[in-house]
Amino acid sequence: MNIFMTFSESVPVIQIVEDSLTQAKRLERLLRSHGYEVTVARNGALGLEMAGKVKPTVVITDVMMPEMDGYEMCRKIKDDPELKDIPVVILTSLSDPGDVIKGLQCGADNFLTKPYQDEHLLRRLQHILTNLDLRRSGQAQMSVEVFFGGEYHKLTADRIQIVDLLLSTFEAAVMQNSQLQKLSGDYRSALDDVKRVQANFQTIMETTGDGIVVVDDAGLVRYVNPAAELLFESSSSEMIGNPFSYDVDEDGDWEISIKTSKGEIYVDMRVVGSNWDGDLVRLATLRDISETVCLRKRLEEEATTDALTGLYNRRGFMTMGQRIIEMADERGLDVLCVFADLDGFKRVNDDFGHDEGDKVLKEAAQALEDIFRESDIVGRVGGDEFAVILLDDGQHCEESVKRRIDEKLESVNRNPERCPYPMLMSVGIHRRKSGSGSSLSDLMIEADKKMYSSKPPRP
């Protein structure tokens, strides 16, 4: 790797050795904003190579890095006659006193604990630069052997280096102690606040009428409140630690049904992401809306269903039929519209009464439901007029639909228990080509015309 850099001799050059791009960029911005020249290397091996070419004023290095760690890079810098006078600052958590021993062994000049405060890093760097000439004035080295961690360690360093290194660790300890003392007082106050919040939270969770279920990322229940126990007819001990029966992977609002000993109930379930004991969880709140759902369904049925036959009424047929047309255009399919009218129905009412006429209408509705699929839309759109909308998925044509209707009517009329008059229908079928743009009303008008043209002549 070739590096060609020129720097002003009066401006210190700080070399950053850090494998975390985020940390490196943060430190680079901080140093540049305070007038320093900066170079960056991603690991110890590259940092050593760069130091030999750039000759930085100070090296700041992380410890844990691929290929070559910070300690090894520092050791190699200190072993190089051309580089040994460059101060090396090691970034570490100082979680183990052995870090200090390692720092002395590799010749590190300073420690900086992570996470560090920007002001502290800048003060430490200024201290190093102020004492730089003193460090290079040829101070005599000293050699000492220490026993630590069950082993003897031989340390060779000049006195100023040792003092600076130990002062940096002492300064870090003092700062941490000051922070701990401040936090200790804050902690006691915060603990009282937490206890109050917990008590209030517990009261809300235990007394609310909405069920609350907490589910972890493995889909297991972590908490249920009393209202949820009532909804699911299960105790918290039976639910906690077991999979939740409903999908809560995404935020949202769903209507779910729960089977209970008293029958099926309907529940509005709202799911949001949250934190629980420091873990990411899904929080589901559940409210019984059975009465609302039943009322809504009854109103919907009354608004779209023919009370006599149970088929869609004209309003329901037009609504559902339009959906079929939209679906057909999306899939590139044709639509068939069947229009049927009972022949001689007036005579049934006149000769046998309207109760018998109602019976015939119900028989006709049942026959049409038997002929067509559940996905087909069958409706009673007038007194004795019926209509059907169906997708042509390649298995239906006008002839096959007409044949099935005729076969069904023959089967109905062979029933010896029927009244002594046959059920007869005139049928018209019209095909709507995919994407033709014709409306459902247009489709029904064309099918109605074909139906009337197929009616037998009046006697």
Side-chain angles (χ1 to χ4, degrees):
M1 180 178 68
N2 294 321
I3 302 176
F4 300 97
M5 295 184 180
T6 59
F7 299 103
S8 170
E9 294 183 1
S10 61
V11 178
V13 179
I14 312 302
Q15 177 173 308
I16 300 170
V17 187
E18 169 67 75
D19 62 327
S20 168
L21 181 60
T22 302
Q23 295 293 331
K25 287 294 184 184
R26 174 181 175 273
L27 183 52
E28 181 182 6
R29 284 195 298 269
L30 174 66
L31 295 175
R32 288 191 184 279
S33 69
H34 284 79
Y36 295 106
E37 299 282 3
V38 179
T39 63
V40 180
R42 295 299 300 276
N43 58 57
L46 295 176
L48 181 63
E49 181 180 354
M50 182 179 287
K53 295 181 178 181
V54 176
K55 301 292 179 60
T57 313
V58 178
V59 174
I60 300 177
T61 179
D62 191 18
V63 172
M64 302 302 295
M65 293 181 294
E67 296 190 38
M68 182 186 295
D69 64 23
Y71 290 127
E72 180 63 20
M73 185 196 69
C74 179
R75 182 179 294 108
K76 290 184 178 296
I77 288 176
K78 296 302 180 179
D79 288 342
D80 189 326
E82 299 294 325
L83 305 176
K84 65 179 182 178
D85 291 333
I86 299 174
V88 178
V89 180
I90 291 182
L91 299 176
T92 176
S93 64
L94 277 179
S95 58
D96 187 341
D99 290 343
V100 178
I101 299 296
K102 291 179 182 178
L104 288 168
Q105 285 181 320
C106 72
D109 298 88
N110 223 289
F111 272 118
L112 194 65
T113 56
K114 296 194 311 184
Y116 53 81
Q117 296 180 353
D118 293 348
E119 297 80 4
H120 179 53
L121 180 144
L122 294 170
R123 284 199 307 269
R124 187 116 296 273
L125 186 58
Q126 186 59 46
H127 171 77
I128 293 171
L129 294 173
T130 300
N131 292 330
L132 192 57
D133 290 338
L134 185 58
R135 292 173 178 274
R136 293 173 176 170
S137 62
Q139 294 287 330
Q141 289 189 332
M142 58 180 291
S143 179
V144 62
E145 190 173 46
V146 299
F147 184 78
F148 178 80
E151 297 180 358
Y152 285 96
H153 303 272
K154 185 176 182 181
L155 308 177
T156 302
D158 62 53
R159 292 177 177 83
I160 293 178
Q161 178 196 1
I162 293 176
V163 170
D164 263 359
L165 187 61
L166 295 179
L167 279 176
S168 67
T169 60
F170 177 72
E171 182 181 16
V174 168
M175 290 182 62
Q176 291 175 355
N177 183 59
S178 298
Q179 292 173 349
L180 287 174
Q181 287 180 346
K182 180 180 182 300
L183 289 173
S184 178
D186 295 340
Y187 172 78
R188 285 190 291 270
S189 176
L191 186 60
D192 292 337
D193 292 340
V194 168
K195 289 179 179 179
R196 285 193 296 271
V197 171
Q198 284 179 334
N200 294 336
F201 172 78
Q202 188 74 15
T203 300
I204 293 172
M205 296 288 273
E206 299 297 325
T207 60
T208 181
D210 291 345
I212 298 175
V213 180
V214 177
V215 183
D216 63 21
D217 58 0
L220 303 179
V221 175
R222 295 275 290 269
Y223 170 83
V224 292
N225 73 339
E229 291 179 292
L230 290 175
L231 281 175
F232 291 102
E233 295 185 338
S234 298
S235 66
S236 60
S237 60
E238 293 173 321
M239 296 182 67
I240 292 176
N242 291 313
F244 190 47
S245 303
Y246 299 89
D247 183 11
V248 292
D249 290 339
E250 297 181 359
D251 290 1
D253 190 350
W254 296 276
E255 198 172 283
I256 64 172
S257 62
I258 301 175
K259 293 182 178 179
T260 71
S261 59
K262 299 178 182 179
E264 190 174 37
I265 64 173
Y266 296 92
V267 172
D268 177 60
M269 181 174 72
R270 299 185 179 186
V271 179
V272 296
S274 186
N275 258 290
W276 190 271
D277 288 338
D279 297 328
L280 292 176
V281 296
R282 314 298 294 178
L283 179 67
T285 58
L286 305 108
R287 176 171 295 180
D288 188 344
I289 56 170
S290 299
E291 292 185 5
T292 302
V293 171
C294 290
L295 177 60
R296 185 189 68 212
K297 287 186 175 182
R298 185 162 65 249
L299 293 174
E300 288 176 351
E301 289 177 0
E302 291 176 356
T304 61
T305 303
D306 176 55
L308 178 65
T309 63
L311 300 178
Y312 285 109
N313 60 19
R314 188 175 188 87
R315 177 182 179 181
F317 180 81
M318 297 300 290
T319 300
M320 299 303 297
Q322 184 60 40
R323 294 180 186 177
I324 291 292
I325 289 178
E326 292 170 358
M327 184 186 304
D329 285 341
E330 289 176 1
R331 298 182 182 179
L333 299 177
D334 291 355
V335 170
L336 293 180
C337 178
V338 180
F339 211 93
D341 180 85
L342 290 175
D343 295 330
F345 180 69
K346 184 176 182 303
R347 292 178 58 187
V348 174
N349 281 330
D350 292 344
D351 295 345
F352 298 96
H354 288 283
D355 287 344
E356 191 66 25
D358 288 347
K359 181 179 178 181
V360 173
L361 290 173
K362 291 179 182 179
E363 280 186 317
Q366 186 60 56
L368 291 173
E369 284 192 310
D370 293 343
I371 293 170
F372 294 98
R373 304 164 298 187
E374 289 186 8
S375 59
D376 300 332
I377 305 302
V378 183
R380 180 189 175 199
V381 294
D384 63 340
E385 293 179 333
F386 299 87
V388 184
I389 290 287
L390 64 149
L391 290 174
D392 183 4
D393 53 8
Q395 301 178 357
H396 303 282
C397 63
E398 291 88 331
E399 292 77 12
S400 66
V401 172
K402 182 66 169 62
R403 183 176 63 254
R404 284 159 50 199
I405 294 175
D406 291 341
E407 291 173 352
K408 182 63 179 179
L409 292 178
E410 289 179 10
S411 174
V412 170
N413 289 325
R414 283 197 300 268
N415 184 359
E417 297 181 1
R418 283 197 78 253
C419 51
Y421 53 83
M423 180 186 295
L424 302 175
M425 280 187 185
S426 294
V427 177
I429 304 174
H430 184 73
R431 176 181 295 273
R432 177 189 184 274
K433 291 291 185 180
S434 174
S436 67
S438 56
S439 67
L440 177 57
S441 296
D442 295 336
L443 188 58
M444 293 174 65
I445 289 172
E446 294 301 321
D448 187 33
K449 290 178 181 178
K450 293 181 179 180
M451 183 268 293
Y452 271 104
S453 66
S454 69
K455 271 188 173 295
R458 292 183 179 182

